[in-house]
Amino acid sequence: MRFATYTSGGETFYGAVTDTGMIALNDSFPDWPTLFDAVQADGLDVLAKVAEGKGVTHRDVQYEMVMPNVRRILCVGVNFPDRNAEYKDGSEQPKYMSLFPRFASGFTGHDRSLIRPPENHTLDYEGEVAIVIGKGGRRISQENAYDHIAALTLCNEGTIRDWVRHAKFNVTQGKNWDNSGSIGPWLVPFTDAAQLDDARIITRVNGEVRQDDVLSRMMHPIRREIEYISTFMTLEPGDIIVTGTPTGSGARLDPPQYLKPGDVVEVEVNGIGTLRNTVEDEAV
């Protein structure tokens, strides 16, 4: 079962994704007006049961960022061995993970355009798996970390590269341009460790493979991410952790290859799906 947020006929819905269309579910759950509310209420199993008894309600739809009203998105940077080497700064594998916040306004949905701003044209891609917390907690052990995941989704963690270099110790301003990245297409409930442990992530630009790696090679595995993050902050249901991107981003190619209008970027992970976006310039 997959769950998405979408618009149809000028209205926003969330529901179950089928091969022939969407099954709207929000009207059946007035206490859960958004998919974020359903996750917070540990309601994905309930949504799935209700969806089994309903027919398709919408076929002509537009995907939205999967949880547009998510409150907290935390991203893990430089989390694959080759990715660390790409920086060519001679640094050893870091003992602690790099973290930075992103906000929902920086993301669009599946099959929508990433927006390149007029101020800078170094828009880059980063294909990643994102986890959605289902059970909150503080000081969560690695052994129990997977018990706190409700669902998985995909992220193209679009970045304006020149702007991440504006300051010495932060990248936030290069990571939060409106609609510069995407999250979706949908949530896939997390039910088996193999969904992460055996996952392979591939990013393509105009059909060319740019990133290709497996999550098992992460320097800071997802279990460790949950343990570390929950040490300093209480994780809450609905929080999103974007777990890290492999080598092969456009900035690290020789010469660099940044995204331009007309490009098509696809992030694919087995068992989750494919997140697809085009690129266009911001209308100003």
Side-chain angles (χ1 to χ4, degrees):
M1 189 69 72
R2 300 163 292 170
F3 303 101
T5 300
Y6 64 94
T7 56
S8 182
E11 294 186 66
T12 301
F13 305 86
Y14 72 82
V17 183
T18 77
D19 292 338
T20 58
M22 301 290 190
I23 302 171
L25 296 171
N26 46 295
D27 286 348
S28 299
F29 298 95
D31 291 338
W32 304 344
T34 70
L35 189 52
F36 175 74
D37 296 308
V39 170
Q40 283 204 308
D42 191 25
L44 294 185
D45 287 345
V46 178
L47 296 185
K49 290 177 182 176
V50 171
E52 289 176 359
K54 298 186 69 173
V56 168
T57 57
H58 300 95
R59 288 183 169 83
D60 183 14
V61 306
Q62 187 172 52
Y63 283 92
E64 299 294 332
M65 191 277 219
V66 71
M67 293 197 301
N69 58 333
V70 61
R71 294 174 185 168
R72 305 195 297 188
I73 304 170
L74 202 58
C75 302
V76 181
V78 196
N79 197 24
F80 283 79
D82 298 337
R83 180 85 172 122
N84 188 56
E86 277 186 321
Y87 283 80
K88 298 179 181 179
D89 58 3
S91 65
E92 299 295 326
Q93 176 175 324
K95 181 178 180 181
Y96 301 109
M97 64 193 72
S98 297
L99 296 170
F100 56 89
R102 283 203 63 154
F103 312 111
S105 58
F107 294 105
T108 189
H110 172 64
D111 267 340
R112 308 283 290 272
S113 289
L114 307 180
I115 301 302
R116 188 176 73 163
E119 289 84 358
N120 193 277
H121 286 174
T122 58
L123 175 61
D124 205 355
Y125 55 86
E126 293 188 9
E128 310 188 38
V129 168
I131 62 170
V132 179
I133 297 299
K135 182 172 71 172
R138 182 84 189 277
R139 299 184 178 92
I140 300 166
S141 69
Q142 292 190 49
E143 180 183 6
N144 296 325
Y146 278 6
D147 296 337
H148 290 258
I149 302 175
L152 310 178
T153 189
L154 300 178
C155 178
N156 182 348
E157 209 263 295
T159 301
I160 303 297
R161 290 293 177 199
D162 280 355
W163 278 63
V164 301
R165 306 183 183 103
H166 278 192
K168 187 173 183 179
F169 293 120
N170 74 79
V171 298
T172 303
Q173 60 270 50
K175 294 286 189 175
N176 281 289
W177 289 77
D178 287 355
N179 299 312
S180 57
S182 59
I183 295 181
W186 42 62
L187 299 184
V188 175
F190 182 67
T191 58
D192 189 330
Q195 289 174 270
L196 290 174
D197 295 344
D198 297 338
R200 176 187 180 190
I201 186 166
I202 300 171
T203 304
R204 299 180 181 89
V205 179
N206 301 325
E208 176 190 1
V209 174
R210 296 281 184 86
Q211 297 180 297
D212 187 353
D213 216 325
V214 290
L215 268 59
S216 58
R217 284 186 3 100
M218 284 181 166
M219 294 187 295
H220 303 288
I222 291 170
R223 291 181 186 273
R224 170 58 178 156
E225 293 177 6
I226 293 172
E227 177 191 52
Y228 181 74
I229 293 168
S230 70
T231 303
F232 66 84
M233 61 184 278
T234 301
L235 287 173
E236 299 176 355
D239 287 347
I240 293 177
I241 300 174
V242 181
T243 60
T245 194
T247 185
S249 63
R252 302 302 164 184
L253 302 177
D254 188 15
Q257 297 184 43
Y258 297 112
L259 297 174
K260 60 187 184 302
D263 284 347
V264 178
V265 188
E266 296 171 303
V267 180
E268 177 185 348
V269 175
N270 54 298
I272 302 178
T274 301
L275 173 63
R276 178 184 182 275
N277 295 97
T278 52
V279 180
E280 66 181 56
D281 277 335
E282 183 178 351
V284 292

